[in-house]
């Protein structure tokens, strides 16, 4: 019986949850984004080597961080849906994939824009850029697999397995790409020990990372609501919810 | 597990592997076609890049590995299709043996008629690209392990896409990103061998991949097949 | 009283967001022959696959059944490259290889002993169907789950199969099969009409 509750009970609950959280999350995200980018673009000091062009990191780095975290969020939701058959986890996984892919694309595009003045070329086969590109294709694979199945419940199951396989492989892929391209910048944000980046540049960056996480959550909820609306268009609870 | 059932398991695995190899041999074109594909694509490179032997020898490790990877992908595309369509997979899933165990003979048979054959034929294609004879042992060793890993990863993708229309191209999209570490390690081993370095690290990486793949992939393959059988 | 071979209580089957069958309850005891009846698309095959546990993701409710089950689906699990004899000898699951004598008896019972050593690919559709059904004449599990077993069989083949169902039931087994036609199995046939369980 509890399985039936999961199956039929969850979607209305999720819908209501989204409706409640979005009015809070939306202004919060907007404020964080505005404050973070104003701080980063207007008040953070100019880099002595790269000049003002470095300021794109306030978009590039948060997008890259959140896109990798997004894959793990997706895989975790997949694991939950595999083990406990909770409909909400299915839906969360589905919602995370396209948003994660979009963030990865943003990181790639801003990376290319940053690369032109810094390296003198739009595209450089740098280890991080290459890893990011591979991550993009891992996302695309999950989305394509989901679209290939007609039955979306079964599709979600297949995608959960694929994203778990991807999760196991991501560290191996990243390590091997690093190995392939051993000459690259060392990781410049460290939370322990001394940081290579100055605090006046770091704090706005951390602020933007928080803002991007909030944006990811917001987009995920909007996407969840949207997929619930299309999938349960015929259901009584949804019609009631929308008309009242 | 007692000794007796240990022997039974071994007997079961060898019997099933023999059955799958027999079925593979019944349609030899499925063994020969990936080989011909390998040869044809290798021929395309001198035609596209020019016949300069030095340049070809420089690019040989990359060419051989990329083409072996693609030939392996072709093998994976066919992997579960027949058994899915004729209902054999259903029967396998119904049996009391765990599916993660009972797919192993089929994978073993597919590797013996696929990856093994490709690895043994590769030195010939290597010669055509001017690969020195001294690099042949490393080429064969890296391909033997690399094709095994790629088959295991490809089988996960094949299991997930076998019930889907036009699953072939989708399989490539799912699996090629996962092949990248294998490609990097394989070409690295060959490069080291060519430039009198030490290929052992790269080969050990591949060996670890085979072990890890054998432990984890059958679970994912079984789960994937169960999903496909729901359709 | 022996335990039932299969017990389903309040089983529901979904297809995507659509509810296919709701609250199906069925107990299959030794000696039972059950027909799952209903028109096209009512969910006969889906329910049978749920019983076989091939479908799990979209099945809700309680299902208990014995482990020794023979399932036969739309596809016969025959390899065209092998002969009927080889096909029966090496079941895809690789277990319980039957004796040569048992195979001969089974092939004779379905009337294809004459083709025992021809490649299965060369047989007609009806003959292949009979080879697949020969599995039912081998020493087999107690519970049979058969999807449309009468398809592509001539009258005589249907009679042979019906007789085999009854024989299996009397010897302590049970049969659950899907069919949209009514079978001539007399009083011993129990029918579960799935039209009564449609939708929510």
């Amino acid at each position: 019986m509890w399985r039936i509750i999961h199956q039929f009970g969850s979607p209305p609950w999720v819908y209501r949850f989204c409706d409640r959280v979005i009015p809070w999350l939306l202004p919060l995200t907007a404020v964080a984004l505005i404050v973070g980018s104003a701080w980063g673009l207007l008040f953070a000091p100019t880099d002595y080597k790269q000049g003002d062009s470095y300021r794109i990191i306030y978009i590039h780095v948060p997008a890259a961080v959140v896109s990798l975290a997004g894959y793990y969020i997706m895989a975790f939701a997949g694991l939950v849906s595999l083990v406990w058959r909770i409909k909400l986890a299915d839906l969360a996984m589905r919602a995370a994939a396209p948003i994660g892919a979009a963030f990865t694309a943003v990181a790639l595009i801003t990376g290319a824009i940053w690369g032109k003045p810094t390296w003198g070329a739009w595209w450089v086969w740098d280890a991080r850029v290459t890893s990011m590109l591979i991550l993009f294709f891992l996302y695309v694979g999950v989305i394509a697999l989901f679209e290939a199945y007609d039955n979306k419940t079964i599709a979600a199951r297949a995608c959960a397995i694929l994203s778990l396989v991807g999760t196991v492989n991501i560290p191996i892929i990243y390590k091997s790409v690093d190995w392939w391209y051993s000459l690259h910048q060392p990781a410049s944000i460290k939370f322990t020990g001394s940081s290579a980046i100055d605090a006046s540049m770091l704090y706005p960056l951390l602020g933007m990372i928080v803002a991007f996480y909030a944006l990811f959550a917001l987009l995920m909820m909007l996407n969840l609501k949207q997929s619930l609306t299309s999938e349960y268009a015929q259901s009584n609870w949804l019609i009631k919810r929308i008309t009242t | 597990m007692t000794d007796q059932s240990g022997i039974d398991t071994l007997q079961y695995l060898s019997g099933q592997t023999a059955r799958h190899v027999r079925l593979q041999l019944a349609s030899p074109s499925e063994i020969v076609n990936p080989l011909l594909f390998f040869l044809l694509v290798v021929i395309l490179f001198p035609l596209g890049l020019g016949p300069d032997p030095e340049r070809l020898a420089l690019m040989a490790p990359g060419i051989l590995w990329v083409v072996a990877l693609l030939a392996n992908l072709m093998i994976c595309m066919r992997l579960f299709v027949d058994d899915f369509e004729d209902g054999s997979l259903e029967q396998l899933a119904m049996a009391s043996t765990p599916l993660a165990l009972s797919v192993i003979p089929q994978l073993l048979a597919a590797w013996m008629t696929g990856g093994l054959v490709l690895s043994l034929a590769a030195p010939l294609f290597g010669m055509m690209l001017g690969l020195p004879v001294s690099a042949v042992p490393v080429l064969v060793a890296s391909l033997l392990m690399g094709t095994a890993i790629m088959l295991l990863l490809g089988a996960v993708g094949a299991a997930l896409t076998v019930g889907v229309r036009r699953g072939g191209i989708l399989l490539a999209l799912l699996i090629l990103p996962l092949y990248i570490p294998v490609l990097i390690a394989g070409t690295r081993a060959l490069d080291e061998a060519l430039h009198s370095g030490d290929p052992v690290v790269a080969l050990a990486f591949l060996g670890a991949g085979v072990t890890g793949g054998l432990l984890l992939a059958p679970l994912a393959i079984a789960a994937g097949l169960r999903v496909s059988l729901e359709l | 009283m022996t335990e039932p071979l299969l017990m389903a209580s309040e089983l529901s089957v979904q297809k995507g967001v659509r509810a296919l069958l709701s609250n199906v309850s069925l107990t299959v005891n030794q000696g039972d022959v059950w027909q799952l009846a209903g028109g096209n698309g009512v969910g006969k095959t889906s329910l049978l696959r749920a019983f076989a546990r091939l479908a799990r993701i979209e099945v809700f409710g309680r299902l208990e059944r014995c482990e020794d089950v023979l399932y036969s689906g739309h596809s016969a699990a025959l390899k065209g490259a092998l002969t009927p004899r080889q096909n029966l000898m090496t079941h895809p699951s690789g277990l319980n290889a039957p004796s040569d004598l048992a195979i001969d008896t089974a092939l004779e019972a379905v009337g294809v002993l004459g083709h025992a050593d021809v490649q299965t690919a060369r047989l007609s559709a009806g003959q292949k169907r009979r080879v697949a059904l020969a599995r039912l004449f081998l020493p087999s599990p107690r519970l049979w789950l058969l999807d449309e077993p009468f398809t592509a069989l001539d009258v005589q083949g249907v009679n042979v199969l019906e007789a085999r169902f009854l024989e299996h039931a009397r010897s302590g087994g049970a049969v659950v099969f899907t069919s949209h036609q009514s079978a001539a199995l007399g009083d011993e046939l129990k029918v579960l009409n799935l039209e009564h369980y449609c939708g929510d």
Side-chain angles (χ1 to χ4, degrees):
Chain A
M1 198 61 199
W2 63 275
R3 280 180 170 161
I4 297 177
I5 292 167
H6 278 315
Q7 178 78 3
F8 298 104
S10 276
W13 186 86
V14 175
Y15 197 89
R16 220 164 37 237
F17 178 77
C18 290
D19 265 354
R20 258 188 223 153
V21 174
I22 288 170
W24 291 94
L25 196 56
L26 182 67
L28 207 78
T29 312
V31 168
L33 276 176
I34 292 168
V35 170
S37 36
W39 193 1
L41 297 182
L42 302 176
F43 298 110
T46 307
D47 187 83
Y48 78 98
K49 246 197 291 187
Q50 299 183 25
D52 278 329
S53 75
Y54 93 95
R55 287 180 199 277
I56 201 166
I57 65 163
Y58 294 114
I59 306 290
H60 174 75
V61 174
V65 168
V66 175
S67 64
L68 183 58
Y71 198 91
Y72 283 97
I73 292 170
M74 181 178 74
F76 180 73
L79 181 69
V80 171
S81 107
L82 274 179
V83 177
W84 289 290
R85 307 220 290 182
I86 297 174
K87 185 82 181 164
L88 169 62
D90 264 18
L91 292 167
M93 188 187 67
R94 280 156 64 171
I99 300 166
F103 274 70
T104 319
V106 167
L108 280 171
I109 293 165
T110 52
I113 295 171
W114 188 19
K116 184 66 183 161
T118 315
W119 291 323
W122 293 108
W123 187 264
V124 177
W125 286 99
D126 162 77
R128 288 189 181 183
V129 174
T130 312
S131 294
M132 204 36 84
L133 185 64
I134 297 167
L135 181 67
F136 179 71
F137 278 108
L138 288 175
Y139 272 121
V140 169
V142 173
I143 297 168
L145 185 66
F146 186 78
E147 293 306 321
Y149 281 87
D150 293 328
N151 184 329
K152 297 307 177 197
T153 313
I154 293 172
R157 190 59 60 100
C159 289
I161 296 168
L162 181 67
S163 56
L164 284 177
V165 173
T167 309
V168 174
N169 274 285
I170 281 180
I172 302 173
I173 293 173
Y174 273 51
K175 279 282 162 219
S176 65
V177 172
D178 273 354
W179 186 29
W180 163 75
Y181 188 87
S182 320
L183 305 163
H184 67 104
Q185 286 184 301
S188 46
I189 303 180
K190 296 184 193 105
F191 290 97
T192 53
S194 63
S195 184
I197 179 172
D198 189 74
S200 57
M201 293 178 178
L202 178 64
Y203 289 131
L205 183 58
L206 291 178
M208 280 305 272
I209 291 176
V210 172
F212 267 61
Y213 269 114
L215 180 63
F216 188 89
L218 176 69
L219 289 173
M220 229 172 103
M221 290 199 170
L222 290 171
N223 196 344
L224 259 173
K225 257 187 82 174
Q226 194 271 330
S227 58
L228 281 174
T229 322
S230 65
E231 194 169 329
Y232 291 88
Q234 310 294 323
S235 300
N236 289 328
W237 64 264
L238 185 62
I239 296 166
K240 230 181 277 170
R241 173 119 203 126
I242 289 172
T243 47
T244 54
Chain B
M1 193 186 268
T2 62
D3 278 351
Q4 188 54 46
S5 74
I7 292 167
D8 283 351
T9 310
L10 214 61
Q11 243 169 20
Y12 167 77
L13 289 178
S14 61
Q16 282 290 85
T17 309
R19 171 173 177 273
H20 280 292
V21 170
R22 235 192 348 264
L23 282 172
Q24 289 274 326
L25 294 177
S27 49
S29 67
E30 284 190 23
I31 301 170
V32 178
N33 284 352
L35 264 183
L36 289 176
F37 173 80
F38 197 149
L39 177 61
L40 256 171
V41 180
V42 164
I43 292 171
L44 292 182
F45 278 91
L47 292 173
L49 295 168
D52 175 16
E54 260 173 50
R55 183 154 67 160
L56 283 177
L58 201 67
M59 302 181 84
I63 295 173
L64 287 169
W65 257 93
V66 169
V67 180
L69 186 150
L70 294 176
N72 196 77
L73 190 69
M74 274 184 68
I75 293 167
C76 290
M77 282 178 184
R78 295 291 314 156
L79 198 54
F80 295 116
V81 173
D82 289 342
D83 280 1
F84 182 78
E85 280 169 2
D86 71 17
S88 299
L89 266 183
E90 281 172 354
Q91 298 301 332
L92 207 62
M94 288 298 297
S96 54
T97 322
L99 194 53
L101 185 67
S102 54
V103 291
I104 290 176
Q106 185 167 4
L107 296 173
L108 202 58
W111 181 74
M112 290 197 295
T113 55
L116 180 65
V117 178
L118 285 181
S119 308
L120 296 179
L124 180 70
F125 307 141
M127 308 284 188
M128 293 169 68
L129 294 173
L131 192 80
V133 182
S134 60
V136 163
V138 174
L139 174 68
V140 176
S142 64
L143 276 177
L144 282 175
M145 291 187 280
T147 50
I149 303 172
M150 291 192 289
L151 181 74
L152 286 165
L153 284 172
V156 177
L160 287 169
T161 54
V162 68
V164 170
R165 275 170 282 117
R166 293 186 295 279
I169 192 78
L170 180 63
L171 174 68
L173 197 58
L174 301 189
I175 289 308
L176 285 180
L178 302 180
Y179 278 180
I180 286 168
V182 187
L183 176 70
I184 290 173
T187 46
R188 179 75 164 228
L190 259 187
D191 274 334
E192 295 280 354
L194 279 177
H195 304 110
S196 52
D198 187 7
V200 171
V201 176
L203 290 177
F205 179 87
L206 289 174
V210 176
T211 318
L214 274 175
L215 285 174
L216 294 177
L219 298 173
I221 295 166
L225 287 175
R226 291 230 178 258
V227 168
S228 287
L229 285 172
E230 297 261 350
L231 292 171
Chain C
M1 189 65 203
T2 53
E3 270 190 24
L5 295 180
L6 183 147
M7 204 161 67
S9 41
E10 297 189 4
L11 215 61
S12 297
V13 182
Q14 295 265 120
K15 278 278 171 217
V17 292
R18 195 165 65 95
L20 195 61
L21 295 164
S22 307
N23 297 319
V24 181
S25 294
L26 176 70
T27 304
V28 179
N29 289 303
Q30 292 191 343
D32 282 356
V33 180
W34 278 96
Q35 178 187 4
L36 305 180
N40 288 334
V42 77
K44 299 189 293 290
T45 300
S46 298
L47 185 61
L48 199 73
R49 289 178 73 85
F51 287 166
R53 293 214 178 97
L54 284 169
R56 301 185 200 204
I57 296 177
E58 298 187 289
V59 177
F60 303 90
R62 244 161 64 96
L63 173 69
E64 285 170 41
R65 65 156 170 75
C66 62
E67 280 309 310
D68 53 339
V69 179
L70 182 151
Y71 171 83
S72 162
H74 282 303
S75 320
L78 295 175
K79 292 289 176 194
L82 302 179
T83 67
R85 190 189 297 282
Q86 288 168 327
N87 265 310
L88 294 187
M89 184 87 80
T90 59
H91 190 258
S93 70
L95 298 169
N96 313 325
S99 67
D100 287 345
L101 182 67
I103 290 175
D104 281 353
T105 318
L107 287 172
E108 186 163 24
V110 292
V112 286
L113 186 57
H115 307 284
D117 298 305
V118 191
Q119 268 201 347
T120 308
R122 294 194 196 157
L123 301 181
S124 76
Q127 286 171 325
K128 281 182 199 156
R129 191 79 207 130
R130 282 164 178 256
V131 175
L133 291 172
R135 293 216 178 97
L136 302 178
F137 292 81
L138 293 171
S140 62
R142 280 186 299 170
L143 177 62
W144 293 357
L145 302 173
L146 312 174
D147 200 3
E148 300 287 351
F150 297 111
T151 313
L153 283 186
D154 55 21
V155 179
Q156 184 249 345
V158 171
N159 291 336
V160 170
L161 194 57
E162 285 173 348
R164 177 65 187 142
F165 281 7
L166 296 177
E167 188 192 343
H168 180 64
R170 279 177 203 133
S171 64
V175 184
V176 180
F177 69 97
T178 65
S179 181
H180 49 270
Q181 308 148 340
S182 48
L185 283 157
D187 297 340
E188 284 173 83
L189 179 70
K190 299 172 178 175
V191 180
L192 184 73
N193 191 345
L194 296 185
E195 310 273 2
H196 303 316
Y197 300 93
C198 274
D200 296 301

